[in-house]
Structure formats: structure tokens, C-alpha cells
Amino acid sequence: MSDAVDIEVLIDQARTAVAAAGSTEEISQVAVSFTGKKSPVAEAHRGLGALDPEARKELGRLLHTARTTIEELIEQRRTEISFDELSREMVASKIDLSEFVPGSLTAPSSRGHLHLVSQTRDALEDVFVGMGFEVAEGPEIETDWFNFGALNIPPAHPARGMWDTFYLSLGEPETTLLRTHTSPVQIHLMEEAVLGGGLPIHAVMPGRCYRRDTPDARHLPVFHQIEGLVVDKGITFADLAGTIEVFTTAYFGPDIHSRLRPAYFPFTEPSAEFEVTCTICHGDGCRTCSQTGWIELGGCGMVDPAVFDAVGIDSDEWTGFAFGFGIDRCAQMRHQIADMRALIENDIRFLRQF
Ligand code: FA5
């Protein structure tokens, strides 16, 4: 280690050793060999004192260059190695968050689907949209006015007994309630029309309803209805009957018979109940239809002029019809479900069938 040729050889050797180092440990060993206390550079440094000043200066400069060059090579390689090691570590410690579904490699995974009641609501909406109706919605919490008053059922009217109501402890007693039917949405639509939306109205309004009814084969305390409302010029009962007939055939198929029976609703006049042949016993009489052979799906009738008055529609100019069917009942009859309570028991074996 006394001249420039040795220095260049040394740098070449260091370059080869540095390139061959593949781990932090190996590059540390290279650093010790070429720049440590026992390295050729260190030894040469220690011999500088024995040289004359001129030669000391020259060799000192060369040793400094050699050390700096070798240290740079080592540092560069050390950075590369630690980056490689970190990358390998990250790949090794990567957590696979993709879900493994047992059996998915051999059989298609089973997916959930809409509840039968939701499917029925969608199917009913499709039928009515196909007949030219629009779909609207209204709130489930109502004031007494929307659920009863505007529908020609003033306080203490005996017809209130038709709907056993859940009242909420809000405001004055018995002023705020969970709607007992979807008919209050009629009032919202007619008020909106009067306030600017304009007439005519051809709409269906599906939604959840609440009654203090004891659950049985045909009743639930929380159930669903789809309301229909047409307000136009020259609408007659024949339009209502025709609409119901078209709906029945479109939804249940030609084998199901339906009938309208005279009934009473304070908000329609004349009023009717709409029934279909019980699909459980095919009309013979069973527990589901209380041995009558018929199942009531809903009520309907011509909008009572008192309702038009309540919302400010001129009943000399406009007439209309309305209906309200049970969506759960429709599902029950379409799929021959003997007991409606099956719809809310959440037995997956039952729900999977639809
Ligand atoms: C009404 O609710 C009237 N609003 C219907 C109406 C609308 C008449 C527009 C005239 C004009 P009703 O209480 O009969 O009527 O209920 C209608 C239908 O909702 C019933 O035929 C039945 O299919 C369904 N329904 C009523 N109560 C329940 C219940 N507790 N569980 C399941 N379905 C029910």
C-alpha cells in the first residue's frame, strides 16, 4: 500500500466485494474489511508518519480518496440492501383480507336476496307503473289530521274503531300517531297538487302501516299496504273496477277470481271491499280464510267529496277513485302462505324459498 496502483486495485477489490454483499450483515463485514481498524487503508495510514513530508502528503491524499470512494460504495449498497430487505419483509407480512367462503371453490356462494314482502312491493309497483301510475311515498308518523281528519273521520267518529291506533307521546294527547293505513299519503299528494303540482293525479303509494292488531294467520301489527289514487276529470266507478280487474289478472294470473263487495269507508263513497279466492283452500274454506273461501285484499271506492273539500279540490270539476291493498296479504295469496306470521319469523328455510 504505497502507491497509486495499489490504491486503484484496492478500490476495485472493494467494488467487487460490495457488489457481492447481499445482506446487511454481509455489507457490514465488507465495511470492516475495507475501512475498519485492521483494513489495508488503516494500516497504510498508520505508516504515514515514517514517510518524508512530500510522500506523506501524496499518500495521505490517495488514502483519503480511497476511503471516501469505498465508503460511498458501501453506503450506496447498504441503502439498496435495506430497501430490498424491507420490501421482502412487507410482502412476507402482508395480511390477506380477501374473504374465503367455505365451499366457494367447489360450489357457487349463496347470496342473500330481498325479503318476500319487498319483492312483492316491487312486483306490485311494476304492475301499476305498467298501467300508467307513478310511485309516491309518505311519512310513517302522521298527525291526526292526515290519518283521520282530512279523510272525513273527525275525532270521536265511530269509524275510528276500524283502526286500532298506536299514538306517540308527542304534543297534545292523541295528536301524533303511527299511520294505520297508507290513505294519508292521498292527502299529501292532493295538498301538493293544490299547492302547485297540479292535477290530475295517477299514483300508487306503498308503505309500512301499524295497528294494535293481535298477530294471527291474516294480521300483523306492522304490515304493508299499497294505496292507489286517481284524481282526474270524468273518472267513474267503472274505471276503478276495471283497474282492479286488470291488476288482479296481471299480478295473480287468470286463474284467480276476484270480487268487489259493498263496504263502508268514510273517505270513499260508494265503497267496496276487494276479495280474491283463497289460494290456500281454492275456495273450499279453511283456517286462513275463516272458512269463507275468500280473502280480503283491500278496500276501495270513489273519493268522497268531503275529502276533496278538506284539501281544496273542486269536486264539481274533478272526480277520483282510491284503493288500499295489503302487500303482505298479496304475498300470502300469491305464494299460498297459510299463516302470515311466517313472514316475520325470519326462518331462513322459509325465506329461502322465494
Ligand atoms: C284500509 O286501510 C283503507 N285505508 C283502504 C282503502 C283505501 C279504502 C282507499 C278505500 C280507499 P282496511 O282496514 O280494510 O282498509 O285495510 C286494507 C287492507 O290492508 C286489508 O284488506 C288487508 O289486506 C290489509 N291489512 C289491514 N290490516 C292488516 C293487518 N293487521 N295485517 C296485515 N294486513 C292488514
Side-chain angles (χ1 to χ4, degrees):
M1 182 62 55
S2 56
D3 56 28
V5 177
D6 287 343
I7 295 288
E8 274 176 19
V9 170
L10 183 68
I11 292 175
D12 274 351
Q13 285 172 348
R15 189 171 275 120
T16 308
V18 164
S23 67
T24 311
E25 208 175 308
E26 284 172 14
I27 196 69
S28 297
Q29 280 166 9
V30 171
V32 170
S33 310
F34 285 88
T35 60
K37 282 183 193 159
K38 292 183 184 162
S39 65
V41 175
E43 270 175 26
H45 225 275
R46 279 194 288 275
L48 282 178
L51 299 177
D52 61 67
E54 204 45 43
R56 188 188 314 150
K57 195 176 164 193
E58 175 58 13
L59 186 57
R61 191 183 57 79
L62 288 172
L63 287 175
H64 177 73
T65 307
R67 174 179 277 279
T68 315
T69 307
I70 293 170
E71 278 174 354
E72 276 173 11
L73 288 170
I74 290 171
E75 273 325 296
Q76 196 181 336
R77 183 69 190 132
R78 200 192 292 279
T79 308
E80 286 168 11
I81 288 172
S82 59
F83 182 78
D84 286 351
E85 285 179 347
L86 187 64
S87 304
R88 276 200 295 276
E89 211 175 293
M90 279 168 70
V91 170
S93 64
K94 192 171 138 199
I95 300 171
D96 183 0
L97 293 176
S98 55
E99 188 186 5
F100 174 72
V101 180
S104 60
L105 299 179
T106 50
S109 56
S110 70
R111 296 177 61 195
H113 60 69
L114 288 180
H115 189 278
L116 177 60
V117 173
S118 304
Q119 291 180 38
T120 307
R121 182 202 57 216
D122 291 351
L124 292 169
E125 278 180 20
D126 283 351
V127 169
F128 284 112
V129 166
M131 291 165 73
F133 286 78
E134 286 178 10
V135 179
E137 279 184 6
E140 290 176 22
I141 295 177
E142 282 290 13
T143 59
D144 182 273
W145 164 254
F146 281 101
N147 196 80
F148 292 126
L151 288 163
N152 198 26
I153 319 170
H157 191 288
R160 287 202 178 204
M162 294 165 73
W163 297 280
D164 208 350
T165 309
F166 286 111
Y167 286 97
L168 300 174
S169 339
L170 286 171
E172 292 292 306
E174 301 200 353
T175 52
T176 316
L177 47 84
L178 294 175
R179 70 178 175 195
T180 57
H181 49 179
T182 41
S183 298
V185 193
Q186 289 185 37
I187 304 299
H188 288 288
L189 290 193
M190 287 192 272
E191 282 193 346
E192 278 164 27
V194 170
L195 286 173
L199 293 168
I201 297 170
H202 301 86
V204 286
M205 302 139 254
R208 207 179 280 131
C209 305
Y210 305 81
R211 287 185 200 176
R212 288 157 55 110
D213 283 348
T214 307
D216 65 21
R218 293 193 311 268
H219 296 90
L220 297 173
V222 182
F223 61 101
H224 304 78
Q225 287 187 339
I226 184 161
E227 191 83 8
L229 176 68
V230 169
V231 179
D232 208 333
K233 291 188 175 160
I235 297 292
T236 68
F237 199 90
D239 296 310
L240 168 60
T243 301
I244 287 183
E245 195 179 311
V246 171
F247 154 73
T248 314
T249 312
Y251 182 69
F252 288 105
D255 296 337
I256 293 291
H257 302 294
S258 64
R259 68 178 185 184
L260 290 178
R261 294 204 312 157
Y264 169 73
F265 294 101
F267 33 93
T268 46
E269 180 60 34
S271 305
E273 261 167 15
F274 162 58
E275 297 180 330
V276 291
T277 316
C278 176
T279 55
I280 310 297
C281 60
H282 305 285
D284 291 343
C286 66
R287 193 175 62 90
T288 305
C289 62
S290 302
Q291 312 302 332
T292 62
W294 294 91
I295 290 278
E296 179 203 312
L297 279 190
C300 58
M302 302 303 292
V303 179
D304 193 301
V307 175
F308 281 146
D309 287 348
V311 293
I313 290 178
D314 182 354
S315 57
D316 288 333
E317 193 183 348
W318 301 93
T319 49
F321 67 74
F323 56 80
F325 303 152
I327 295 179
D328 319 74
R329 286 270 176 95
C330 287
Q332 187 179 20
M333 285 301 104
R334 168 103 172 238
H335 299 282
Q336 292 151 43
I337 299 165
D339 195 316
M340 191 185 276
R341 285 169 289 196
L343 291 174
I344 55 164
E345 276 163 0
N346 285 340
D347 184 334
I348 202 80
R349 293 165 301 178
F350 168 79
L351 294 172
R352 260 199 200 124
Q353 299 174 94
F354 308 104

